Amino acid sequence: MTSDAYAELASVGPYGVRPGHALITLVEPHPGHEYAYNRWYEDDHFIAGAMAMPWIYAGRRWVATRELQLLRYPEKSAIAQPVTAGCYLSVYWLTEGRYADHMRWTVGINKRLLRDGRVYQDRTHIFTAFHDHEATVYRDGAAGPRDHHALDHPYAGLALEVIESEGPEQREELLAWLRSRHLPRRLAGSPAAMVTVFRPTPLPSDRMSYVKQVEGVDTRLTLLWFLESDPRECWDSCFTGLDGEVAEAGLGRVEFMAPFIPTIPGTDQYVAELR
């Protein structure tokens, strides 16, 4: 491909700013490889394996220290076994309507990275999936950062929630309940400024072999709660009992509720606190 082809590609197709899609990836470095994994991901893969790709326009890394891992629930989770698995969470926004274009690039570049010895093998993908955006619910209405700012704004914490419904129709009911009732009530007066809601999409058949196919494509919703305070300061008051509320509504069950704090780029801060 010549450089002229890039000018042609840039002149066609969607190029809005909405986070129409997201890559959400929760990874567990193997014991003894925490420092090496952190440096590889931050110094190389975050850029070459994500941010340098077309149509990814924002990204941020988050970490769960052992103290944060122990706040997770439910104990028996369909997402992580044990529920404490998964130290590092990375989230990326993709331009709406560009998922297919991006996916062809990401499969190609990851095959190249693997061939060139630039894929760190001593890690396990706990929860890795591309998602389509379904809704964003704001605490303060039109005030404050929008969802396309969320990965650049200096939020103090993030909570990852995965809810499983009984089927596709029930997921639509769950989404409507979340948007109109549950999330507005939970956000009011809380340190969470917004919640973005996504549904997972299947990975292509030529994905990398170390990433398993996405489960719950027709039944799950993935929620990201963006927090203005450290989740350790508000976990009991804001997030305890969410599973009971979802179950009581009869629309699904919470399979994963986990708090994170942002990493500090260029450092190994928090690596010693993972175990």
Side-chain angles (χ1 to χ4, degrees):
M1 179 181 289
T2 66
S3 296
D4 291 341
Y6 288 99
E8 181 181 349
L9 291 171
S11 68
V12 297
Y15 66 121
V17 300
R18 291 188 66 249
H21 319 276
L23 170 59
I24 302 171
T25 175
L26 178 65
V27 173
E28 176 76 7
H30 295 173
H33 292 265
E34 294 85 357
Y35 282 93
Y37 168 80
N38 187 52
R39 292 272 44 86
W40 164 77
Y41 197 98
E42 188 169 275
D43 295 344
D44 188 0
H45 200 63
F46 182 81
I47 300 167
M51 294 302 297
M53 296 189 197
W55 310 115
I56 281 186
Y57 69 88
R60 197 168 190 187
R61 295 185 70 219
W62 310 81
V63 61
T65 62
R66 187 61 179 174
E67 182 182 8
L68 288 163
Q69 294 166 32
L70 294 175
L71 296 176
R72 296 177 179 179
Y73 65 86
E75 183 178 355
K76 294 182 179 180
S77 168
I79 305 300
Q81 302 88 28
V83 72
T84 52
C87 299
Y88 285 103
L89 177 71
S90 296
V91 180
Y92 304 94
W93 287 167
L94 282 71
T95 300
E96 185 174 29
R98 289 295 189 171
Y99 172 74
D101 296 337
H102 170 80
M103 188 55 64
R104 301 322 308 149
W105 186 287
T106 192
V107 169
I109 198 66
N110 275 286
K111 288 182 178 179
R112 181 182 181 187
L113 291 170
L114 183 63
R115 184 185 68 235
D116 293 346
R118 288 173 62 182
V119 174
Y120 199 86
Q121 300 289 354
D122 290 297
R123 58 174 174 150
T124 299
H125 282 264
I126 304 300
F127 177 78
T128 294
F130 284 88
H131 291 74
D132 287 341
H133 180 259
E134 286 286 359
T136 300
V137 181
Y138 297 99
R139 181 193 60 199
D140 303 323
R146 303 291 85 192
D147 50 13
H148 51 275
H149 304 132
L151 299 180
D152 298 312
H153 188 78
Y155 285 113
L158 178 79
L160 169 64
E161 181 179 12
V162 179
I163 306 177
E164 181 86 47
S165 67
E166 294 300 324
E169 292 183 5
Q170 288 81 1
R171 185 171 70 175
E172 290 304 309
E173 294 179 42
L174 171 64
L175 176 61
W177 175 74
L178 289 170
R179 296 173 71 169
S180 64
R181 298 178 58 187
H182 179 67
L183 294 179
R185 182 175 60 81
R186 274 286 183 167
L187 285 170
S190 81
M194 73 176 83
V195 181
T196 56
V197 184
F198 294 89
R199 58 178 172 84
T201 59
L203 291 171
S205 58
D206 56 351
R207 70 191 184 279
M208 305 312 293
S209 60
Y210 49 80
V211 181
K212 67 179 182 179
Q213 185 54 271
V214 177
E215 300 173 350
V217 169
D218 296 323
T219 55
R220 287 180 181 170
L221 290 175
T222 301
L223 285 67
L224 299 174
W225 300 68
F226 290 90
L227 311 177
E228 294 175 331
S229 64
D230 188 308
R232 288 166 289 196
E233 299 172 2
C234 63
W235 195 252
D236 288 342
S237 60
C238 296
F239 294 100
T240 298
L242 287 183
D243 52 345
E245 292 184 19
V246 172
E248 185 177 346
L251 298 172
R253 62 187 180 277
V254 173
E255 286 288 3
F256 196 60
M257 192 77 216
F260 298 85
I261 54 177
T263 61
I264 301 176
T267 77
D268 289 318
Q269 187 77 23
Y270 306 120
V271 175
E273 302 175 46
L274 299 180
R275 308 301 182 193

